[in-house]
Structure formats: structure tokens, C-alpha cells
Amino acid sequence: MKNSNQSLNKKLAHELINISKKSALEIMKIYDTNFEINYKKDKSPVTEADRISEDIILHEISKIEPGVDLISEEKFFEEENKIKSDYFFLIDPIDGTREFIKKNGEFTINIAIVENNNPVLGIINAPASNDIYFSYNNLKSYKLSNNNDAIEIRTRQHAKTEVMLHSRSIPSKKMQDIMDQFGINQIRPCGSALKFGLLAEGLADLYIRLEPCYEWDTAAGQVILEGAGGAFFDIDLNEFDYNKPNFLNSDGFVSLANIRQKECLLK
């Protein structure tokens, strides 16, 4: 069901939040056990939790949005299904499986809707911390913590780029050069799409990724970041397109706390 109606989008967002909570509940049951780890063709890890989370999300979304295309990480790698319309879901049932395996809590459930190649609604659920970030209109973003009321979140609005979010790996030489170039003196390590949530709530200035990733890694985060006042681009600081071949983003991306930072980076 396509819709541009704000009240419908809001209702749909809350239904998707509830679906993400159902998934989170089952994920956390597995998280607390000695679960088995398997590996996909690309050598990336996968667990029972990835599969269960995906099954719940796909089943529940198909009940509220029957017939809409659903692109979800695990199923996509098995079936390489294509979309048939310009309105579809992008789902990562567990983003940060490596963090899930390490049991450091930095993994998320990502659910997004893409319309006309732009993400228009996004949910990021961080089950271990009981935090949910969401936006349903690219204009405002919210955070739910421990089942309290949602609060509106905003990014930092100054042009400085001091604190950068980075994965828990050591920055590459290329990334270190970028940090030196822009005078970034503080790295905050963090796993998964949780980085988008931290950037959206004003806890850092930017998040750059130089490695390839998939569109289900970024879609929900982009909506939430933009709704909170941030900006999201491809690695060349151009508009980021969705529905690329295999949903693969081969060059990384740039996420900023605000658009003023783009001018600084271009200089």
C-alpha cells in the first residue's frame, strides 16, 4: 500500500516498531544461550537468531502490507529476488551479527520503506539496550527507550567535525588520512546501524564508511538521520540511490550531523 498520508505513515511506523519488538524478544532469548555460528558463501557469520528474526518480520509485515515487495538480507542471498514496484521494504533482521556473536550489545534490527529510490520510513531497534530510533517522514526523528514515551531527537548543528563514529575495527590508512585532513581527533567505536542512531541523537559529528555495504544496512539509518537534521551521501557527496543492482553499495557513504558540514568537506 503506497501512502503519502502522514497519519497512515505514523500508524505504519508504530506497527513496524511492534514487529521489531516481537523480533527483539526472540533474538534476546537466543543471545543469552550458547548458540551455533554458521557461515554464508561470502564467509560472513549467520546464526539462528538472524533466521528467526527474519521469519518473524517477513511474516508480520506480510499481514499488514500484503503483496508489497520485501527485500531482506538472508532471503535475498538465498533467492536473489527482485522488486516489482517502486515501493518496497528493505530489512536487515540482525545488523551486526559479529557484535551479536561477541555479545557486546551493538547489533540492531533495521526495517525501512523505499519509495521512488528514496527511503521514506525507518526503524532501528537495538534490542540489547532496549532503544528504538524511528522516523516516518524525513522531517522528524524519535527515540524510544525502555518503553517510555518517544522523544524527538536532533543532530549536532555546528559545522565542526570533531567526533567520528567508526566500526570496532582499526581505521585503515585511507580512513586515517581522512581523519587527519579534517582534524578529527576523537573516534567513538560502535557496531552496526546503531551508529546512525548515535549520530541522530547528537552524540557525534560524522560517520564515514569506505567499504562496500548493502542498502539494507543504510536505508533505515538514512531516514532517521535526515529526520533528525542530518545528511547522507554517497562517497562522492552526491545523492545516494537505492534499488541498485543486487542492492549493493560498492563505494561506502558519508553521514553528517548537518548539511553545513558538507561545505567544509568539499573545501
Side-chain angles (χ1 to χ4, degrees), residues 61-221:
I61 289 178
S62 67
K63 291 198 295 193
I64 61 169
E65 291 274 79
V68 173
D69 289 320
L70 305 170
I71 300 296
S72 184
E73 181 178 16
E74 307 311 330
K75 281 275 194 296
F76 179 76
F77 285 129
E78 289 166 10
E79 301 169 6
E80 296 199 359
N81 39 337
K82 302 282 190 286
I83 61 161
K84 298 184 286 294
S85 82
D86 58 6
Y87 179 88
F88 62 97
F89 281 83
L90 273 176
I91 298 153
D92 195 340
I94 295 185
D95 183 33
T97 299
R98 287 183 175 88
E99 314 305 327
F100 182 85
I101 291 165
K102 291 176 195 166
K103 300 198 177 188
N104 67 13
E106 294 176 354
F107 58 91
T108 60
I109 299 161
N110 304 345
I111 303 174
I113 294 175
V114 175
E115 187 167 14
N116 298 322
N117 295 343
N118 289 299
V120 294
L121 184 155
I123 314 286
I124 293 176
N125 186 325
S129 58
N130 215 0
D131 292 323
I132 299 171
Y133 301 90
F134 68 98
S135 176
Y136 51 85
N137 59 11
N138 297 80
L139 300 172
K140 288 185 176 181
S141 293
Y142 305 89
K143 181 183 180 184
L144 281 164
S145 292
N146 296 314
N147 299 317
N148 294 326
D149 291 342
I151 56 162
E152 190 178 339
I153 52 175
R154 294 295 289 168
T155 58
R156 295 181 178 187
Q157 291 302 306
H158 55 64
K160 293 180 289 188
T161 51
E162 295 172 339
V163 181
M164 185 175 85
L165 293 159
H166 192 269
S167 68
R168 292 204 164 269
S169 62
I170 303 295
S172 64
K173 169 77 170 66
K174 193 174 176 186
M175 183 65 86
Q176 191 60 56
D177 290 345
I178 288 171
M179 289 165 58
D180 294 342
Q181 189 180 345
F182 298 117
I184 295 160
N185 52 27
Q186 190 182 339
I187 285 188
R188 178 167 178 173
C190 178
S192 77
L194 196 51
K195 292 187 278 291
F196 287 107
L198 299 181
L199 192 55
E201 63 176 318
L203 298 178
D205 299 303
L206 74 166
Y207 162 33
I208 297 172
R209 183 184 170 102
L210 302 177
E211 300 81 24
C213 64
Y214 286 90
E215 293 175 9
W216 48 74
D217 296 315
T218 63

Side-chain angles (χ1 to χ4, degrees), residues 1-31:
M1 177 185 75
K2 285 191 194 184
N3 61 67
S4 53
N5 183 304
Q6 287 300 302
S7 62
L8 282 177
N9 281 347
K10 185 175 180 180
K11 179 174 179 284
L12 180 55
H14 285 287
E15 287 173 328
L16 294 171
I17 286 168
N18 287 333
I19 289 171
S20 79
K21 285 180 177 179
K22 275 188 186 179
S23 170
L25 204 62
E26 296 308 312
I27 285 172
M28 291 309 291
K29 286 178 188 172
I30 297 166
Y31 186 67

Side-chain angles (χ1 to χ4, degrees), residues 174-175 178 182 206-213 232-241 244 249-256 262 265-266:
K174 193 174 176 186
M175 183 65 86
I178 288 171
F182 298 117
L206 74 166
Y207 162 33
I208 297 172
R209 183 184 170 102
L210 302 177
E211 300 81 24
C213 64
F232 186 82
F233 303 101
D234 70 16
I235 206 69
D236 299 313
L237 293 173
N238 297 317
E239 188 173 319
F240 190 97
D241 281 329
K244 295 187 287 295
N249 167 43
S250 53
D251 300 316
F253 55 78
V254 177
S255 332
L256 303 173
K262 183 182 180 182
L265 296 184
L266 286 171

